[in-house]
Amino acid sequence: MIYSDIKINTNPGEEYTVSNRFWQGCPTIARTRGGRLFAGWYSGGTGEPHPENYNLLIRSDDDGFSWNSPELVISGRPEDDIVAIDIQLWLDPDGKLWLFFAKINCACGVKPTDPDRWVTWAIICDDPDAEILQWSEPRFIVTGFLRTQPTVLSDSSWLLCAYDRSSDHYCYAKSTDRGNSWERCFAGKRLTNTFDENMILERKDHSLLMFARDQKPLLTFCESADGKNWSETQYTNILSGSSRFFLRRLNSGRVLLIHNDSNKMRTNLTAALSEDDGKTWNCSLLLDSAGIPQQSVSYPDAVETPDGRIFIIYDCGRTTFKEIRMAQITENDIIAGKIVDYTSYLSRIISKAPGNPDKEIYERKIKEWQQWKAVRNFN
């Protein structure tokens, strides 16, 4: 189906199977109340961004041991200068599955990475445990680019960190009506201009802590006592490899942080725990040490089950190894600094695109991409 300038394909064909992907990355994960896992990422074309990019969605009904072929694909309309990228999944407090994605208008002379062209949209499934999923029509959410899960506060309001660079401050949006409307808000001043991919934690005293990505390989932070006024932004001592991270309070009350524990590249993907609301991180578990330039591990997303298992998804070598990997761990594993729970595992590949793509098709797509850029007057 086509909604305005976005294509929602609920019956994707052979062209979207893993054997036809030249690259894949930037994954996300969600788990329903019934225990179904959903995973998504984006691919299409020869890399990121590309006019043929698309978002895909797969599901697993056996805790991630097997996955179906893509059951939903969201793509743009390159002929109309619209690109759709970067899926983000989230299960809201009512059990509805939100599928966010970024829509980018590549008008003449505007690059797909220009921040003033980023807009976040979503489709929603009210019953994600149904055999046949029913999705809402695409809904505009906010201006900006969302790449992290929203946060639900104790007062039932939702915070969504869709960011752009129209302001020199970190951006987020707040909803007090369960996502029907959003108010744009601003936190601390950005230290460098990059992909913020910020996340917000509500502390036990109801103050807010925001972490953000930075051009330096360190996370930045700012905080707010009242949810309105924010402190000056500072650097933490937490390494990040200048990449996306994950921050969330667990059922136990501890805080989970997943980040690249590296000051040079996207390697040493690590899960850490805090007992004091993010002030210190005393326990950690190395999830994946891959990280040569061709095999970087990055962009973690995670969900926790009611029984305390933590599912973590991330990518490895988007254009080389072309792998989507998953880990299942527990807090006991992180505390011990090694796998101690018999249900846990690390570095399981759930999707791998071919290592040697069809050279003729690949070169043709590269040429088409170059022509597409030339017509639109950007490099």
Side-chain angles (χ1 to χ4, degrees), residues 240-241 243 259-270 286 288-292 295-298:
S240 69
S243 183
H259 66 111
N260 288 100
D261 191 14
S262 170
N263 62 0
K264 293 183 179 181
M265 61 182 66
R266 294 177 174 181
T267 185
N268 295 339
L269 192 65
T270 299
L286 180 62
D288 201 319
S289 61
I292 60 175
Q295 194 185 1
S296 62
V297 285
S298 64

Side-chain angles (χ1 to χ4, degrees), residues 102-165:
K103 186 176 78 169
I104 302 176
N105 183 356
C106 301
C108 185
V110 176
K111 298 179 182 180
T113 51
D114 285 350
D116 60 347
R117 298 291 172 167
W118 296 344
V119 182
T120 295
W121 285 62
I123 57 175
I124 304 167
C125 179
D126 289 346
D127 183 8
D129 283 309
E131 181 58 32
I132 299 176
L133 304 184
Q134 302 294 327
W135 294 93
S136 69
E137 293 190 5
R139 175 192 304 179
F140 167 78
I141 302 298
V142 289
T143 298
F145 192 102
L146 180 69
R147 246 344 323 240
T148 55
Q149 295 181 25
T151 298
V152 179
L153 302 185
S154 56
D155 66 0
S156 298
S157 59
W158 300 358
L159 303 183
L160 179 149
C161 291
Y163 65 95
D164 63 40
R165 298 173 195 159

Side-chain angles (χ1 to χ4, degrees), residues 95-336:
K96 298 178 181 179
L97 180 65
W98 290 63
L99 190 162
F100 299 96
F101 61 93
K103 186 176 78 169
I104 302 176
N105 183 356
C106 301
C108 185
V110 176
K111 298 179 182 180
T113 51
D114 285 350
D116 60 347
R117 298 291 172 167
W118 296 344
V119 182
T120 295
W121 285 62
I123 57 175
I124 304 167
C125 179
D126 289 346
D127 183 8
D129 283 309
E131 181 58 32
I132 299 176
L133 304 184
Q134 302 294 327
W135 294 93
S136 69
E137 293 190 5
R139 175 192 304 179
F140 167 78
I141 302 298
V142 289
T143 298
F145 192 102
L146 180 69
R147 246 344 323 240
T148 55
Q149 295 181 25
T151 298
V152 179
L153 302 185
S154 56
D155 66 0
S156 298
S157 59
W158 300 358
L159 303 183
L160 179 149
C161 291
Y163 65 95
D164 63 40
R165 298 173 195 159
S166 61
S167 167
D168 58 1
H169 287 69
Y170 295 119
C171 304
Y172 65 101
K174 181 176 182 179
S175 176
T176 57
D177 56 10
R178 309 188 86 76
N180 289 309
S181 62
W182 298 87
E183 174 191 4
R184 197 173 187 210
C185 306
F186 300 92
K189 188 174 182 180
R190 185 186 292 108
L191 295 182
T192 61
N193 194 1
T194 189
F195 301 96
D196 300 340
E197 294 164 346
N198 41 327
M199 294 192 77
I200 295 176
L201 172 76
E202 183 181 23
R203 293 173 170 143
K204 293 178 181 178
D205 65 0
H206 304 303
S207 66
L208 303 180
L209 171 67
M210 176 185 286
F211 280 174
R213 174 182 169 183
D214 191 81
Q215 287 181 4
K216 292 184 178 181
L218 291 171
L219 295 180
T220 67
F221 82 98
C222 56
E223 50 196 353
S224 174
D226 58 7
K228 297 178 181 179
N229 301 292
W230 289 82
S231 68
E232 294 294 322
T233 303
Q234 302 177 56
Y235 284 105
T236 69
N237 61 357
I238 303 169
L239 295 173
S240 69
S242 188
S243 183
R244 181 193 175 199
F245 60 93
F246 179 84
L247 178 71
R248 181 66 76 229
R249 186 176 302 282
L250 298 175
N251 297 332
S252 67
R254 298 186 181 100
V255 179
L256 171 68
L257 173 68
I258 307 171
H259 66 111
N260 288 100
D261 191 14
S262 170
N263 62 0
K264 293 183 179 181
M265 61 182 66
R266 294 177 174 181
T267 185
N268 295 339
L269 192 65
T270 299
L273 288 178
S274 175
E275 301 271 4
D276 54 12
D277 272 358
K279 295 179 182 178
T280 60
W281 306 86
N282 298 320
C283 306
S284 64
L285 171 68
L286 180 62
L287 300 172
D288 201 319
S289 61
I292 60 175
Q294 297 80 17
Q295 194 185 1
S296 62
V297 285
S298 64
Y299 275 56
D301 201 25
V303 290
E304 183 185 17
T305 66
D307 62 4
R309 291 173 295 150
I310 303 166
F311 289 94
I312 302 167
I313 196 170
Y314 58 98
D315 59 35
C316 176
R318 294 176 190 172
T319 60
T320 53
F321 286 76
K322 307 170 188 174
E323 294 174 355
I324 305 298
R325 297 184 178 183
M326 195 168 77
Q328 179 186 306
I329 62 172
T330 64
E331 288 177 80
N332 289 335
D333 298 324
I334 303 175
I335 293 169

